[in-house]
Amino acid sequence: MKIIGLIGLLAIVACWVPQTFDVLKTGRVNMKLSFLILYFIGSIALTIYALGDAIFVTINVLTTMGSAINLYYKMFPGRQESKEIR
């Protein structure tokens, strides 16, 4: 059963990778703030719950970091630099 949990958590981490790269590239997040807050809280709770299991702590820390980056950019969107035409 542990392998099923590992596969599921790896899939969740894999979902955050392209989303987070896109956010870092554009400085904008197209997700609801409530989703990001709940996901962040859930990830932290799962990290604490998983203490003692290095694999699940690592995976949950990665999802927490992904959700934290997205939450930060949702609350403080990056400014698009305006290009002046000369």
Side-chain angles (χ1 to χ4, degrees):
M1 289 304 270
K2 197 169 190 172
I3 190 73
I4 293 172
L6 182 59
I7 291 168
L9 288 171
L10 286 172
I12 291 171
V13 170
C15 291
W16 279 109
V17 171
Q19 171 66 30
T20 303
F21 281 139
D22 187 52
V23 167
L24 292 172
K25 183 175 151 184
T26 65
R28 300 201 180 272
V29 179
N30 294 322
M31 298 172 140
K32 289 188 175 195
L33 181 60
S34 58
F35 170 81
L36 292 169
I37 290 170
L38 287 172
Y39 200 98
F40 180 71
I41 291 169
S43 293
I44 289 174
L46 285 172
T47 301
I48 294 167
Y49 180 78
L51 289 176
D53 186 331
I55 293 171
F56 287 103
V57 167
T58 302
I59 292 168
N60 282 303
V61 165
L62 292 173
T63 60
T64 300
M65 288 174 25
S67 61
I69 291 168
N70 284 271
L71 181 59
Y72 174 82
Y73 277 92
K74 181 67 172 185
M75 295 177 76
F76 308 102
R79 296 185 181 141
Q80 297 293 330
E81 293 183 23
S82 60
K83 295 179 181 178
E84 294 180 22
I85 301 173
R86 295 181 189 214

